[in-house]
Each structure stands twice: as structure tokens, then as C-alpha cells.
Amino acid sequence: MGPVKPGLPLSIFDPVPIGIDEFGMPVLIRLIWRNLLIGGEPGAGKSALLNVLVAYAALCANCRLILLDGKQVELGQWRKCADAFVGPNIVQALVLLTKLQKMMDNRYAFLLDCERRKVVEKIQTLSPVTGEIIWVPDAFLPYVVAIDEIAYYSATIGDKRQREEFAALLRDLVARGRAVGIIVIAATQRPSSDIIPTSLRDLFAWRFAGRCTNDSSSDIVLGHGWAQKNWSANSISPNNPGAGLLIAEGGSPQLVKTAYLDDRTCAAIAAYAADMRATVTAADRRALRAVPAAA
Ligand SMILES: Nc1ncnc2c1ncn2[C@@H]1O[C@H](COP(=O)(O)OP(=O)(O)OP(=O)(O)O)[C@@H](O)[C@H]1O
Ligand SMILES: [Mg+2]
């Protein structure tokens, strides 16, 4: 994979490196137009994986960040890179998800007007200066919505109505947000039906199961029947945090050891990314990524 070159913004439309497979080969996942569910027992490495993905997204000049973290400290280091950071507050979480839902509807209305079906990295247009065909970034940027410990919002704080509203809003974002670039990455210890509705769980295209306490918990993350086929995250050693089974829609599980960013590394990347985000203006973004159509 090699080191990330400073100064060169990454793209959220590219596959994101998350770790290595059993052969030491890089494992990359394409997040755009997809959502990711991360499950596993306490200490399995869920927040660590979330941090790797948020770090990548923070370094992408072509995406925005929304963070929800009941513990505050797991994603807190990235708050200066994010448009919004919500801690242990269900009211703020509901306001935020409602705004995202409204934005999603507006984006669909825009796409409808343009006779288009989804957000793309670049679209062709005529240069107002030279008159030649050039590629420019799409009209709006994708959003990475990272949620650590869904259960905190969907089953722990607030009253029943608020928790149900949270689950319903999240379900809508996961179900309809993909085409307009809303990428939900959500972590929870056990995504059973009391934590998130089964109908919501099944909508996640990517699932990562860190070590689980039993086969049934592993199946809840990966999908029913995988434990019977000998794919169970229960077989992962408790002494191997960050190891887990990754599955994509329609595929088979794959054993992955995720990358790990310690606190100092996260702080350094977050500071660099916040700086980059403050200085890279919309005009810069266009200039950076606008290239002649033939290129
Ligand atoms: N990929 C990794 N490589 C090495 N160590 C890791 C990795 N991922 C996690 N760890 C270690 O495991 C510890 C627990 O990880 P993490 O906090 O991500 O677990 P978690 O699944 O989020 O737990 P909880 O459910 O309690 O929030 C980390 O502090 C780190 O020491
Ligand atoms: Mg955690």
C-alpha cells in the first residue's frame, strides 16, 4: 500500500484500505454507495476499525464527516474534521439525523431535476474558460456518517419514542442514502433485534464481525447460516483484537486483521486533516480534480 503522500487528498470514491488478509495482502473496501455494519464482543476492535475508516474519510477532500459517539472519546479526536459531532445526547442525535434526512430528500430532488440516479465522483461539463469538455466534481459531496455503539442511542438513553425515532431515522438513511452519497458506518457489540430492527441490519452491504462470544452472535452480524458453514467469528482468539470476518453483499466471509491507529497517530492525522479541510476550499477542490476529459 505504501505511505499516504501528504498534500494529495484521497478520494472517498476509491477503495479504502482497512487491513490485511491471511496472506498479508491489503484488504480494501469500496464504501461509496454502500454502508458498513461492525459487530463483535467488547474489546473486539470495533472502535479501532471505525477510527481507521474515519481517518481515511477525514483525509478525503471530497467527503464530509458526521460523527455520533456515546462515549465521546472513540471518535472525539476527529471532531474538528467533522461537520457535526454528537456525544451522549439523544435529542441532538435526533436533530442531526432529521437534518440528514431532509438533505437526502433535497439531493434526490436535485438528481431528479438533472435526470440522474446517483452521485458520482466527476461529471463532464464544458469549461466556461476554454469551451472544451472537462471533468469536474459532482454538485454535492458524499457524507460519511460514523456511529459508535448504536445501542446507546437505539436501546439505552432517552425514552422509548426517542429510541424508536432514532432507529427509524437511521433505517431511512441506510435504506435510501446510498445513491446520494450518504455512507453509514455503524458499530455495535451485538446487532440483535432489540438493538437495531432486523430490517435495518439486513440493509448493510458490508459487515465486519470481530470476535463474537458465540456462533449465533456471529451469524447476527454476518447473516444467518454462516456459522453452520464454519464461518464463525467465535473462532477468533480473544487475544487477537482487530481480527474479524468481513463479508460483502452476496460474497463469502474473509478473514481480516484490521489496521490499528494509536491515539498519537489519530491525533496527528486528525490535526493534519483538519488543517487540510480548513484550507481546501470548494474552488480548490474543483481545481484539484478538474482534468481534461481525454485524461
Ligand atoms: N487492529 C488491531 N490491532 C491491534 N490491536 C487492536 C486492534 N484493534 C483493537 N486493538 C486493541 O484492542 C483494544 C480494544 O479495541 P476497541 O476499543 O476498538 O474495541 P471495541 O470492540 O470497540 O470494544 P467496546 O465494545 O468495548 O467498545 C484497543 O484498545 C487496542 O489495544
Ligand atoms: Mg468500542
Side-chain angles (χ1 to χ4, degrees):
M1 268 183 278
V4 174
K5 287 188 197 141
L8 260 191
L10 304 175
S11 171
I12 197 68
F13 287 85
D14 293 338
V16 182
I18 62 160
I20 53 171
D21 67 14
E22 287 174 89
F23 306 99
M25 299 304 288
V27 175
L28 298 101
I29 62 175
R30 193 180 285 277
L31 284 177
I32 190 74
W33 309 306
R34 307 260 190 299
N35 300 291
L36 166 67
L37 178 66
I38 304 170
E41 66 178 32
K46 302 179 295 294
S47 304
L49 174 56
L50 211 48
N51 268 281
V52 169
L53 296 165
V54 171
Y56 182 94
L59 289 169
C60 294
N62 64 353
C63 96
R64 290 170 175 273
L65 267 180
I66 297 281
L67 308 171
L68 292 101
D69 176 11
K71 276 197 211 163
Q72 299 188 69
V73 294
E74 298 292 4
L75 298 175
Q77 283 187 305
W78 307 101
R79 66 193 181 285
K80 290 187 185 133
C81 306
D83 285 19
F85 174 69
V86 168
N89 188 321
I90 186 78
V91 177
Q92 283 179 7
L94 291 175
V95 169
L96 181 63
L97 294 196
T98 308
K99 278 188 186 169
L100 275 171
Q101 189 186 43
K102 181 70 195 154
M103 183 195 70
M104 174 172 72
D105 289 336
N106 291 343
R107 287 184 168 197
Y108 275 118
F110 175 87
L111 286 182
L112 185 67
D113 274 354
C114 303
E115 308 292 343
R116 290 174 46 203
R117 284 178 294 186
K118 64 178 183 184
V119 61
V120 289
E121 184 167 22
K122 293 174 201 161
I123 48 171
Q124 278 192 347
T125 184
L126 281 182
S127 162
V129 184
T130 62
E132 62 181 4
I133 298 175
I134 55 166
W135 288 95
V136 294
D138 209 336
F140 45 75
L141 297 176
Y143 265 92
V144 168
V145 182
I147 309 173
D148 199 7
E149 205 42 68
I150 315 173
Y152 181 74
Y153 300 100
S154 66
T156 313
I157 52 163
D159 56 35
K160 188 166 179 284
R161 189 192 55 78
Q162 287 171 318
R163 294 193 290 265
E164 281 175 4
E165 195 182 338
F166 180 88
L169 284 166
L170 186 61
R171 188 188 188 290
D172 191 28
L173 287 179
V174 175
R176 291 197 297 138
R178 301 181 323 126
V180 289
I182 296 176
I183 302 162
V184 177
I185 307 174
T188 185
Q189 288 172 354
R190 194 173 189 273
S192 47
S193 56
D194 51 328
I195 306 298
I196 54 171
T198 317
S199 60
L200 164 58
R201 187 179 72 212
D202 293 344
L203 293 173
F204 286 87
W206 288 107
R207 289 119 183 270
F208 178 87
R211 184 186 146 76
C212 292
T213 32
N214 51 53
D215 289 351
S216 115
S217 294
S218 175
D219 263 7
I220 283 177
V221 184
L222 296 175
H224 183 68
W226 284 111
Q228 237 183 357
K229 295 179 191 163
N230 289 329
W231 286 108
S232 169
N234 179 233
S235 58
I236 291 163
S237 161
N239 299 321
N240 193 5
L245 296 174
L246 174 73
I247 189 170
E249 225 166 20
S252 295
Q254 175 186 18
L255 188 59
V256 175
K257 173 79 176 182
T258 61
Y260 181 69
L261 302 172
D262 61 21
D263 284 352
R264 277 185 59 196
T265 312
C266 282
I269 300 175
Y272 174 81
D275 213 32
M276 179 198 76
R277 285 171 169 268
T279 50
V280 175
T281 61
D284 290 336
R285 275 194 199 106
R286 286 181 181 272
L288 269 169
R289 303 194 77 85
V291 290

